[in-house]
Short mmCIF file of all heavy atoms in Angstrom, two decimals:
data_model
loop_
_atom_site.label_atom_id
_atom_site.label_comp_id
_atom_site.label_asym_id
_atom_site.label_seq_id
_atom_site.Cartn_x
_atom_site.Cartn_y
_atom_site.Cartn_z
N VAL A 23 29.74 -71.18 25.16
CA VAL A 23 28.83 -72.09 25.73
C VAL A 23 29.37 -73.44 25.46
O VAL A 23 29.37 -73.89 24.25
CB VAL A 23 27.37 -71.93 25.18
CG1 VAL A 23 26.46 -72.94 25.85
CG2 VAL A 23 26.88 -70.50 25.36
N GLY A 42 18.78 -97.64 26.21
CA GLY A 42 18.85 -99.09 26.29
C GLY A 42 19.45 -99.48 27.69
O GLY A 42 19.32 -98.73 28.65
N ASN A 74 20.03 -56.02 23.54
CA ASN A 74 20.34 -54.68 22.95
C ASN A 74 21.46 -54.70 21.92
O ASN A 74 21.89 -53.60 21.50
CB ASN A 74 20.63 -53.69 24.08
CG ASN A 74 19.49 -53.63 25.05
OD1 ASN A 74 18.35 -53.55 24.67
ND2 ASN A 74 19.82 -53.57 26.33
N SER A 76 23.71 -54.82 18.61
CA SER A 76 23.48 -54.45 17.24
C SER A 76 24.07 -55.48 16.28
O SER A 76 23.66 -55.54 15.15
CB SER A 76 24.09 -53.06 16.98
OG SER A 76 25.50 -53.03 17.25
N ILE A 78 25.58 -59.67 16.25
CA ILE A 78 25.83 -60.93 16.96
C ILE A 78 26.37 -61.93 15.94
O ILE A 78 25.93 -62.04 14.80
CB ILE A 78 24.41 -61.52 17.49
CG1 ILE A 78 23.81 -60.55 18.45
CG2 ILE A 78 24.66 -62.87 18.05
CD1 ILE A 78 22.37 -60.92 18.91
N PRO A 102 15.72 -59.23 16.08
CA PRO A 102 15.51 -58.52 14.80
C PRO A 102 16.22 -57.19 14.67
O PRO A 102 16.47 -56.76 13.52
CB PRO A 102 13.92 -58.31 14.75
CG PRO A 102 13.53 -58.39 16.20
CD PRO A 102 14.51 -59.36 16.88
N ALA A 112 34.26 -76.17 10.32
CA ALA A 112 34.20 -77.69 10.24
C ALA A 112 32.82 -78.17 10.59
O ALA A 112 32.67 -79.19 11.29
CB ALA A 112 35.28 -78.28 11.16
N THR A 162 9.46 -82.03 3.63
CA THR A 162 8.45 -82.61 4.40
C THR A 162 8.61 -84.14 4.40
O THR A 162 8.25 -84.79 5.40
CB THR A 162 7.03 -82.28 3.88
OG1 THR A 162 6.94 -82.64 2.48
CG2 THR A 162 6.78 -80.82 4.06
N ASP A 163 9.18 -84.79 3.37
CA ASP A 163 9.38 -86.15 3.32
C ASP A 163 10.67 -86.66 3.99
O ASP A 163 10.83 -87.86 4.31
CB ASP A 163 9.33 -86.67 1.92
CG ASP A 163 7.95 -86.58 1.27
OD1 ASP A 163 6.98 -86.55 2.03
OD2 ASP A 163 7.88 -86.46 -0.01
N TRP A 166 14.90 -84.78 8.32
CA TRP A 166 16.26 -85.06 8.91
C TRP A 166 17.37 -84.44 8.01
O TRP A 166 18.41 -84.12 8.58
CB TRP A 166 16.50 -86.53 9.13
CG TRP A 166 16.08 -87.38 7.95
CD1 TRP A 166 16.93 -87.67 6.88
CD2 TRP A 166 14.87 -88.02 7.71
NE1 TRP A 166 16.22 -88.45 5.94
CE2 TRP A 166 14.95 -88.63 6.44
CE3 TRP A 166 13.68 -88.05 8.37
CZ2 TRP A 166 13.91 -89.39 5.87
CZ3 TRP A 166 12.66 -88.77 7.85
CH2 TRP A 166 12.71 -89.40 6.61
N PHE A 173 22.13 -79.51 2.94
CA PHE A 173 20.73 -79.39 2.52
C PHE A 173 20.11 -78.10 3.00
O PHE A 173 19.28 -77.50 2.36
CB PHE A 173 19.91 -80.58 3.07
CG PHE A 173 20.38 -81.90 2.58
CD1 PHE A 173 21.21 -82.66 3.32
CD2 PHE A 173 20.07 -82.32 1.25
CE1 PHE A 173 21.69 -83.89 2.89
CE2 PHE A 173 20.58 -83.50 0.79
CZ PHE A 173 21.34 -84.32 1.57
N GLU A 186 35.95 -74.66 6.13
CA GLU A 186 35.92 -76.15 6.04
C GLU A 186 37.14 -76.61 5.25
O GLU A 186 37.47 -76.11 4.21
CB GLU A 186 34.68 -76.58 5.27
CG GLU A 186 34.38 -78.02 5.29
CD GLU A 186 33.77 -78.47 6.66
OE1 GLU A 186 32.98 -77.69 7.23
OE2 GLU A 186 34.06 -79.56 7.17
#
Side-chain angles (χ1 to χ4, degrees):
V23 181
N74 301 318
S76 59
I78 298 171
T162 55
D163 293 336
W166 48 86
F173 301 97
E186 192 75 36

